[in-house]
Amino acid sequence: MKALLVLVLALLLPLAYSKQTKATLSVSDQKEWKKLLKTHTNILVLFTSSDKPVADFLPTFDKVADRIRGKGTLVYVDCSSKDSKKLCKNLKVKPNPFALKHYKDGSFNKDYDRLLQEKSLYSFMEDPSADPPWSEDPTADNVRHLTSSKDFEQLMRKEKKPVLAMFYAPWCGHCKRMKPEFATAADEVKGQYVLAGMDVDKPDAYSLRQELNITGFPTILYFENGQRKFDYSGGRDAEGILEWLKDPQASTEPEEAEEEVPWSQTEPNVEHLNTSNFDSFISSHPSVLVMFYAPWCGHCKAIKPKYAEASVAMREQGVEGVLAAIDATVDKEIGERYEVKGYPTIKYFGAGELKFDYGYKREAEDIVEFMMEPKEPPPPEKDWTELDNEVVHLTDEDFKPFLKKKKHVLVMFYAPWCGHCKKAKPEYISAAEAFIEDKKTVLAAVDCTKYKTVCDLYSVTGYPTIKYFNFGKKASPYNGARDVDGFVTFMSDPASFIRDEL
């Protein structure tokens, strides 16, 4: 993969690079670097030996930085510059001619392992822990990779050859095992059939899933002239696919799409409860943490391995208590009894009764620490709007009228649960106090969980998103530090910063 990245960059024409990029941050010394790691949790850094090798790549890098703003940060470090040499040396980075490295929660995570293109970079930053997309597998070049419902509709409308389409989910074990077989078959029938693949485990594909009645993964369907003909009923290897394509037909006993093996059958380190044993188990164990989950829930899938890891660690360390789980979509009665509204919901039971909801971090070590001394989490923070401060809180109704009356307004679009927002909030409040005497300058905020209309209007996709307005006119992104000095410096002379970005 590194050789491929070097080849791509080697083909780029060296152009003069302007360091005044719009969204990419530039870091040159250790102090700036440490501050960056403290204030950002999802960072991709492009280290270079000089400007020239990446001159044409930087606009793409910057475009991704702008798209991912609020969810991740892209940073540029020129290790050839006098100020940056020491930083690169301390980080033990030797770009030749470049290096792309990801940092998570204050420390190095992994080297970037995808293609140097906008779609790949953005996908990586959305979920750095995910496997590379199937479309980037060089052995699957002859699979037609569909990325949206629009792609699928276009394929059905224009393709004259028969199409065998595999609809999958990235997390699906059966799909992962079948992908190389499907790709091998695609190589064999190239020019005769189109073998297509599409990840439909994402919100913008739900309507297509409903239309095609996709209830499990993988679902494989055969189309001719844009019309669905048969559900695939052959073997799950390349030989089986090729054999079935010689004479496509419906099975007399259609095979249902394989479902993932239930968690209760694959994870012995967690106690799996159900309606029949829930009450007896809780009453016979003095300390139990119960995760109410749904098999399809993405957040549940993310916490499951951490939950199991915590259970193992508890046994090794002699920590009393049990970690248990229950599928609330199957055992609905239990979920309804404890008013489970979302997934995962984690509740602590002590001495046979419900004590409180678990409200702490969901890493394995945090769960173990909690079970050592279970205690109710602190009460939730007051809503920001209830606090006495100089930040003006706006709504869908008064947003535009208010901004039209003020010369300078900085707006933080936030979500109450957002960790980055919580960190920035006291800094933002302090900065607002600096402009008490200036009636033309205001720091405002919008809760996007309550006022979705105005947040959608300004394309807010991550939190916090901070924008500057001049009498309510064109929004300009705020790219400065999320601390008192950064906010105050910017709002003292917004025009100079905006000019620099143009």
Side-chain angles (χ1 to χ4, degrees):
M1 179 59 73
K2 180 63 181 290
L4 176 62
L5 295 178
V6 172
L7 176 61
V8 172
L9 281 181
L11 296 174
L12 297 175
L13 295 174
L15 299 175
Y17 164 57
S18 168
K19 293 186 179 179
Q20 297 300 328
T21 52
K22 293 182 180 179
T24 304
L25 299 183
S26 179
V27 175
S28 60
D29 63 47
Q30 194 71 20
K31 185 177 181 181
E32 289 178 339
W33 176 255
K34 289 182 178 180
K35 186 175 181 181
L36 179 74
L37 291 184
K38 287 181 180 179
T39 56
H40 297 72
T41 60
N42 180 22
I43 308 170
L44 183 64
V45 185
L46 174 61
F47 297 93
T48 69
S49 57
S50 68
D51 289 342
K52 291 184 178 180
V54 293
D56 277 1
F57 172 63
L58 279 166
T60 298
F61 196 69
D62 191 65
K63 190 173 182 180
V64 175
D66 188 52
R67 285 185 62 193
I68 203 69
R69 198 196 309 268
K71 294 187 286 186
T73 304
L74 270 63
V75 177
Y76 176 78
V77 178
D78 177 7
C79 294
S80 67
S81 72
K82 181 179 179 180
D83 293 336
S84 301
K85 280 184 179 179
K86 186 175 181 181
L87 173 62
C88 295
K89 184 178 180 180
N90 289 341
L91 295 176
K92 298 180 180 179
V93 177
K94 298 179 180 179
N96 184 28
F98 78 99
L100 270 169
K101 295 182 176 291
H102 183 259
Y103 295 81
K104 179 182 178 183
D105 298 328
S107 59
F108 173 71
N109 179 36
K110 63 189 292 188
D111 287 323
Y112 178 78
D113 57 359
R114 311 284 179 85
L115 298 179
L116 289 178
Q117 58 186 24
E118 182 183 343
K119 181 174 68 174
S120 301
L121 287 159
Y122 184 77
S123 174
F124 176 86
M125 288 301 289
E126 279 201 306
D127 186 2
S129 64
D131 294 330
W134 193 17
S135 60
E136 294 189 10
D137 183 347
T139 66
D141 286 344
N142 289 319
V143 174
R144 180 79 66 84
H145 297 283
L146 308 175
T147 60
S148 65
S149 298
K150 185 177 180 180
D151 279 356
F152 174 77
E153 292 165 3
Q154 189 174 46
L155 177 67
M156 292 295 103
R157 187 169 60 252
K158 294 185 176 182
E159 185 55 61
K160 302 302 180 185
K161 294 185 285 293
V163 176
L164 186 67
M166 183 170 98
F167 301 93
Y168 64 92
W171 47 262
C172 161
H174 297 299
C175 306
K176 290 179 181 178
R177 288 189 288 274
M178 190 171 183
K179 282 177 179 179
E181 303 293 333
F182 198 77
T184 299
D187 294 340
E188 294 293 326
V189 299
K190 182 181 179 182
Q192 300 173 275
Y193 299 87
V194 172
L195 268 62
M198 182 174 177
D199 173 7
V200 291
D201 190 39
K202 47 189 179 183
D204 58 1
Y206 287 167
S207 59
L208 181 62
R209 283 174 61 173
Q210 187 173 12
E211 178 185 338
L212 298 177
N213 192 31
I214 297 172
T215 58
F217 303 114
T219 289
I220 306 173
L221 306 176
Y222 178 77
F223 301 83
E224 288 182 357
N225 298 316
Q227 300 298 314
R228 178 174 175 173
K229 299 287 288 186
F230 309 117
D231 289 12
Y232 176 76
S233 57
R236 294 301 172 101
D237 55 14
E239 184 179 350
I241 296 170
L242 295 173
E243 187 64 30
W244 188 86
L245 283 174
K246 291 177 181 178
D247 183 23
Q249 56 184 288
S251 172
T252 53
E253 296 180 3
E255 181 183 2
E256 293 184 0
E258 294 180 88
E259 298 283 355
E260 287 290 283
V261 178
W263 191 28
S264 58
Q265 296 180 24
T266 61
E267 184 46 75
N269 294 306
V270 173
E271 293 290 338
H272 296 276
L273 307 179
N274 53 49
T275 303
S276 62
N277 69 0
F278 187 91
D279 291 330
S280 59
F281 187 90
I282 295 298
S283 62
S284 60
H285 292 78
S287 180
V288 187
L289 193 65
V290 180
M291 186 204 311
F292 296 80
Y293 70 94
W296 45 260
C297 159
H299 292 297
C300 304
K301 290 169 188 170
I303 193 178
K304 282 177 180 178
K306 300 172 185 177
Y307 201 68
E309 181 185 341
S311 182
V312 173
M314 285 172 59
R315 285 201 300 272
E316 293 175 346
Q317 298 175 32
V319 178
E320 294 185 5
V322 181
L323 300 189
I326 184 168
D327 183 347
T329 67
V330 173
D331 297 284
K332 296 181 180 179
E333 176 190 335
I334 304 297
E336 291 172 357
R337 184 199 304 176
Y338 292 103
E339 300 181 345
V340 174
K341 305 295 183 183
Y343 307 109
T345 292
I346 306 176
K347 296 177 179 287
Y348 177 72
F349 293 79
E353 62 181 29
L354 173 65
K355 294 296 185 180
F356 47 80
D357 281 10
Y358 176 83
Y360 298 93
K361 293 181 180 179
R362 295 177 177 179
E363 298 297 326
E365 57 269 25
D366 297 307
I367 296 172
V368 174
E369 184 179 352
F370 167 82
M371 291 300 286
M372 288 179 176
E373 188 180 353
K375 56 184 178 182
E376 190 168 359
E381 298 178 10
K382 280 188 176 181
D383 189 285
W384 192 0
T385 58
E386 298 176 9
L387 300 178
D388 184 16
N389 59 76
E390 299 302 321
V391 174
V392 176
H393 294 274
L394 302 175
T395 69
D396 288 336
E397 291 73 25
D398 63 13
F399 186 88
K400 286 187 176 180
F402 180 86
L403 264 62
K404 286 180 180 179
K405 298 176 182 178
K406 299 294 180 180
K407 186 175 183 179
H408 304 298
V409 182
L410 192 64
V411 181
M412 181 192 292
F413 298 90
Y414 72 98
W417 46 261
C418 159
H420 293 301
C421 306
K422 291 178 181 178
K423 286 182 180 179
K425 186 167 67 175
E427 304 287 333
Y428 200 70
I429 290 173
S430 296
E433 293 174 355
F435 297 96
I436 293 177
E437 303 300 325
D438 185 351
K439 303 303 180 183
K440 297 179 181 179
T441 303
V442 176
L443 272 67
V446 176
D447 181 349
C448 290
T449 64
K450 295 180 180 178
Y451 307 109
K452 193 171 184 300
T453 300
V454 69
C455 296
D456 288 346
L457 179 64
Y458 292 100
S459 303
V460 176
T461 57
Y463 310 113
T465 291
I466 307 174
K467 295 179 181 287
Y468 166 77
F469 297 82
N470 177 244
F471 287 117
K473 295 178 182 178
K474 183 182 177 181
S476 300
Y478 171 80
N479 299 319
R482 295 175 182 174
D483 57 20
V484 177
D485 291 342
F487 295 133
V488 172
T489 300
F490 177 89
M491 290 301 283
S492 296
D493 187 13
S496 64
F497 289 89
I498 295 170
R499 277 199 304 273
D500 288 343
E501 291 182 350
L502 296 178

